[in-house]
Structure formats: structure tokens, C-alpha cells
Amino acid sequence: MSLDGTYDEANIFAKILRGEMPAAKVFEDDDVLAFMDVFPQSRGHTLVIPKRSTARNLLEEHPERLAALMKGVQRVARAVRAALTPDGITITQFNGAAAGQTVFHLHVHIIPRWETAPLGRHGEGGMADPVELKALAGQIAAKIA
Ligand code: AMP
């Protein structure tokens, strides 16, 4: 899907927001939902999405909503750091299929990194064990400040 197009209400993240698909939820407030990525590029890979948005990517989001999204990203990233003590954290966001985007509801990746562990390839990793994801979500959620 190119940068042009219309929001598809049947995308996976819209289904998660409506409660039609399960997710290992980490954090939720009025503006954002954070949950574990099921094909993680590292242990603790977490996604943050705006809740009341039909923006497919960053370019489409209302500028006044971006601050709330990034506030959520920082809050969750701090909790990831506190819970998992990574050496670094990669924060990424893809716009359009040509850039690597596969789900067309705006989202930000929080990917904890360790010096000893190579980064998994985006969209090419195996599916995580749901039990392990739930445990990780709980560990991170417990550190939300
Ligand atoms: P992107 O490729 O930037 O659009 O990112 C979409 C991300 O969503 C990828 O990292 C996928 O692994 C992840 N993903 C796909 N389906 C699900 C799902 N049902 N629950 C959680 N994460 C998902």
C-alpha cells in the first residue's frame, strides 16, 4: 500500500482496539494503547498506537495528536527500560509499504536492544509464545510510572 489510500477499519490494530483480536496489553490511557509485537525483533518489542485515529501513517495524523502519541511512547519506553534493562532502545516508525510498513494504522515500535543480541529482521521473525508475551507485558506494565 502506497502513502495514498483510505483507512481500512478491518486492519489488525483496529480489530485489537475494538477488542476483536487478542493482544498482550502493556498500557492504555485515553490516547494510546501499547501491546507486545507478536513477531518481535527483540525480547520486549512493544508497539504504541493512537486509539482514536484513522491515520494510516505519521503523515496523516492530526498534528495536535502527535504529542499525546509520543508522550505515550516515552512513558512505555521508560517502562521497557526499567523492566528489561536493555543497553539501548530503538524507536522506529514506517510509512508506506515501500518503507516496510505492513499494518496501516499509525504505530511506533519500541525495540529494546542488547549489545550481545543482534536485531531481528523487521517482519521476518517467528511468532512469539503468547504466554511469554503476556509475562513480558506484565513485567513492563508493572514499571509504568
Ligand atoms: P509495520 O511493519 O511497521 O507496519 O509494523 C507492524 C508490526 O505489527 C510488525 O512488527 C508485526 O510483527 C506486528 N504485528 C502484526 N500483527 C500483530 C498482532 N496481531 N499483534 C501484535 N503485533 C502484530
Side-chain angles (χ1 to χ4, degrees):
M1 195 179 285
S2 76
L3 286 174
D4 298 312
T6 50
Y7 183 83
D8 179 5
E9 296 285 352
N11 78 74
I12 294 166
F13 295 170
K15 287 182 179 174
I16 288 173
L17 282 169
R18 291 195 296 268
E20 295 166 8
M21 286 268 294
K25 293 185 183 177
V26 169
F27 172 72
E28 186 166 11
D29 65 10
D30 283 349
D31 298 304
V32 300
L33 172 66
F35 53 93
M36 305 311 296
D37 194 304
V38 288
F39 300 101
Q41 287 182 258
S42 76
R43 184 172 157 269
H45 182 166
T46 307
L47 300 169
V48 182
I49 67 174
K51 280 171 74 168
R52 286 166 295 149
S53 177
T54 54
R56 292 173 311 130
N57 55 53
L58 185 77
L59 283 66
E60 291 182 357
E61 186 57 295
H62 295 290
E64 63 272 19
R65 291 197 192 145
L66 289 174
L69 174 61
M70 290 314 289
K71 202 170 149 191
V73 169
Q74 186 192 54
R75 196 167 178 194
V76 173
R78 284 176 168 173
V80 166
R81 181 189 186 184
L84 305 178
T85 58
D87 299 315
I89 301 176
T90 298
I91 294 181
T92 56
Q93 191 276 320
F94 301 87
N95 300 280
Q101 185 176 10
T102 56
V103 178
F104 295 88
H105 177 109
L106 172 60
H107 56 279
V108 178
H109 297 258
I110 298 172
I111 307 173
R113 304 288 303 276
W114 288 267
E115 279 157 13
T116 49
L119 180 65
R121 287 178 69 85
H122 179 69
E124 291 180 19
M127 196 170 201
D129 174 1
V131 174
E132 195 183 326
L133 279 191
K134 202 173 168 197
L136 275 168
Q139 273 180 262
I140 299 167
K143 298 291 184 181
I144 294 280

